[in-house]
Every structure is written in C-alpha cells, then in structure tokens.
C-alpha cells in the first residue's frame, strides 16, 4: 500500500497471520495503545499481530477502536480496506463458496433514510437489504440456519429441539423478507416526494412497538435442564416441555 505520507500507524492484513499493525517509530504511546487492544509485537516480522485465531468481526472492531483512540490524540492512521472483507463461508466439497462481499451496515443504511425525499430512493435502500447475494435479510436467514445446524450436531434432545426452533425462526425471517419485498415494490412505484417543509426525520417520533413479553416459565424450565459442564445432557425434560405439541417442521431454505 503506497501512501503519499507516512502515517503514525498502519493496519493491514497478513496472508497467513491475519490483521497486523505497523508503527512509524518506537514511541511508547503507540505500543501502549496497540497492546491495550490485544495486539502483540512480533520481533521477527517487526509488526504487531492480533492473537492467532481472532475471528473476523472482533478483529474489525479492534482496528476501529484502536483507530479512534489514535485519532483522538491527533495521530494519523491508515488502514487497508481488505480488513473489512470477511473470510469465505466453508462449503461442502464440490460446492462453490459464496463470493466474499464487504459487510453492509444497517446503521449506515438507516442514516441514509434520514436524507432521502423520494419514495424510489427509499426503495433502492430496501433493495440493498433484500439483495439475494449479500443483503441483510438473507444473511440473517443463513446465520440462523447455520446456528440450527450447530445445535443439531450436538445430537442431544435439547440440541435437536433448539435446532428445530431456530429453523422455524429462519422461516419467519424468510417470510419477513417477502413482506419487505412487497413494501419495496410499492415504494418503487409510488410517485410521492416528501414536502420541502416536512420536519427532519430526527424529529419524527418512531412508531411505538409492542412490549417484548417476559421470559416464560417454559423457557426458564428449558434453561434449567439444559446441559452444561456441571450437568449431564440426559436429564428429563421439564413437564411443560413434555406436554408441549411438536414444533413446526423445518422450513425449506430460500434460494440465495
């Protein structure tokens, strides 16, 4: 990465060792901040590295937090944009892995809505969320399905039950995506434009939401009998769980 100036700190990606940080000199403050954010100096490579096996999302958050701290003290920071690229999702042999895409921030998309005035522009933002390759709705569905598969791999009654419950939730997410697609289509054909004298979005109160119900006795009973390092996995089910009707069958995954 060729820069027109030498920053105080530069973050990059090592092909084998993950996220790395290089400093312009040996000022104690640079070392202190990097070590505070779990970077460790490698004398052989003359760079700072995160612990081996640090997952992608924590690594990105660590770089962001360290960058803010450096910038708060008027230090210059450069970062390789490839840090934002997530690792490929493992796929069975013979199946093409999903193409790596930089993550989209729902917070950033929500911020975009505050500046839009045309229905068609709002529809375009919704389309990004619904994109079949890297939209937030499809990614959430895939995440829940993967969590369900993880639970089922435990091969215990609790694991199978929770896996089935998660697959039902994934079905609801797919249904939510369909409803959002309907709203996106309606917005795309609406000719409406926000009046010039309309109040800023920040001053418009958000719709009230239904209160989230408290944890049920059944859920507490499930937690009480869940396997843990100090409790065997084959304890009997809570009476409420035994009497409950079977959960809905797993839903077919949407084509992504």
């Amino acid at each position: 990465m060729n820069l027109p100036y030498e920053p105080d700190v530069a973050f990059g990606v090592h092909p084998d060792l993950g996220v790395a940080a290089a400093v312009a000199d040996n000022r104690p403050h640079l070392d202190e901040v990097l070590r505070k954010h779990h970077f460790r100096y490698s004398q052989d490579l003359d760079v700072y590295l995160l612990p081996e096996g640090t997952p992608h999302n924590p690594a990105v958050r660590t770089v962001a937090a360290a960058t803010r701290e450096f910038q708060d003290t008027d230090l210059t920071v450069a970062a390789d944009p490839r840090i934002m690229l997530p690792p490929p999702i493992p796929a069975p042999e013979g199946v093409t892995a999903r193409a790596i895409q930089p993550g989209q921030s729902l917070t950033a998309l929500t911020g975009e809505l505050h500046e839009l005035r045309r229905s068609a522009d709002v529809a375009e933002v919704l389309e990004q969320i619904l994109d079949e390759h890297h939209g937030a709705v499809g990614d959430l569905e895939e995440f829940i399905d993967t969590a369900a598969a993880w639970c089922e791999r435990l091969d215990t009654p609790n694991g199978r039950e929770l896996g089935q419950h998660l697959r039902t939730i994934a079905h609801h997410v797919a249904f939510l995506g369909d409803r959002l697609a309907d709203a996106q289509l309606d917005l795309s054909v609406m000719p409406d434009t926000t009046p010039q004298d309309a109040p800023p979005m920040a001053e418009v109160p958000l719709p009230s939401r239904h209160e989230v119900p408290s944890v049920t006795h059944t859920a507490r009973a499930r937690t009480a009998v869940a396997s843990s390092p100090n409790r065997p996995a084959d304890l009997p089910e809570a009476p409420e769980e035994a009497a409950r009707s079977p959960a809905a069958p797993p839903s077919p995954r949407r084509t992504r």
Side-chain angles (χ1 to χ4, degrees):
M1 182 167 56
N2 296 321
L3 298 172
Y5 63 89
E6 183 178 8
D8 295 302
V9 184
F11 292 100
V13 181
H14 189 282
D16 300 316
L17 302 176
V19 175
V23 296
D25 50 51
N26 60 355
R27 276 173 285 175
H29 178 67
L30 302 179
D31 178 84
E32 178 185 341
V33 173
L34 287 171
R35 290 185 181 277
K36 172 184 173 182
H37 291 281
H38 311 297
F39 282 91
R40 295 295 178 264
Y41 181 68
S42 169
Q43 192 165 5
D44 293 338
L45 299 173
D46 191 27
V47 295
Y48 289 80
L49 298 169
L50 286 175
E52 184 179 358
T54 300
H56 171 73
N57 285 344
V60 172
R61 289 194 295 269
T62 296
V63 171
T67 297
R68 284 195 298 270
E69 189 159 346
F70 283 128
Q71 291 177 336
D72 286 344
T73 54
D74 296 325
L75 296 173
T76 56
V77 180
D80 189 332
R82 288 175 294 182
I83 291 174
M84 298 298 296
L85 289 176
I89 298 175
E93 187 175 352
V95 176
T96 304
R98 283 180 56 195
I100 297 175
Q101 297 283 351
Q104 292 202 63
S105 166
L106 277 177
T107 303
L109 292 176
T110 302
E112 285 186 35
L113 292 180
H114 283 249
E115 306 300 325
L116 301 179
R117 307 195 71 85
R118 297 170 56 246
S119 302
D121 295 333
V122 178
E124 287 185 9
V125 173
L126 262 179
E127 189 173 6
Q128 295 181 57
I129 295 174
L130 297 168
D131 185 278
E132 65 174 330
H133 297 294
H134 52 274
V137 173
D139 284 349
L140 177 59
E141 184 186 351
E142 182 169 10
F143 174 83
I144 296 172
D145 270 339
T146 302
W150 189 95
C151 292
E152 291 164 352
R153 194 174 59 168
L154 296 174
D155 199 26
T156 63
N158 287 330
R160 287 189 291 272
E161 180 187 6
L162 185 54
Q164 192 174 41
H165 180 56
L166 285 168
R167 292 196 187 279
T168 301
I169 294 175
H171 175 80
H172 292 318
V173 172
F175 179 79
L176 170 64
D178 292 339
R179 300 289 72 78
L180 284 173
D182 292 341
Q184 189 269 340
L185 180 60
D186 290 341
L187 280 165
S188 67
V189 298
M190 284 172 57
D192 298 340
T193 300
T194 307
Q196 290 295 330
D197 59 350
M201 274 286 293
E203 297 179 7
V204 179
L206 295 177
S208 59
R209 300 181 182 179
H210 296 294
E211 183 179 352
V212 177
S214 60
V215 178
T216 63
H217 178 73
T218 299
R220 284 194 290 267
R222 181 190 297 116
T223 302
V225 300
S227 60
S228 72
N230 301 316
R231 183 184 293 114
D234 56 354
L235 288 175
E237 291 183 332
E240 293 86 352
E241 289 298 293
R244 193 178 66 178
S245 59
S251 61
R253 273 188 54 77
R254 291 192 304 163
T255 301
R256 285 176 49 80

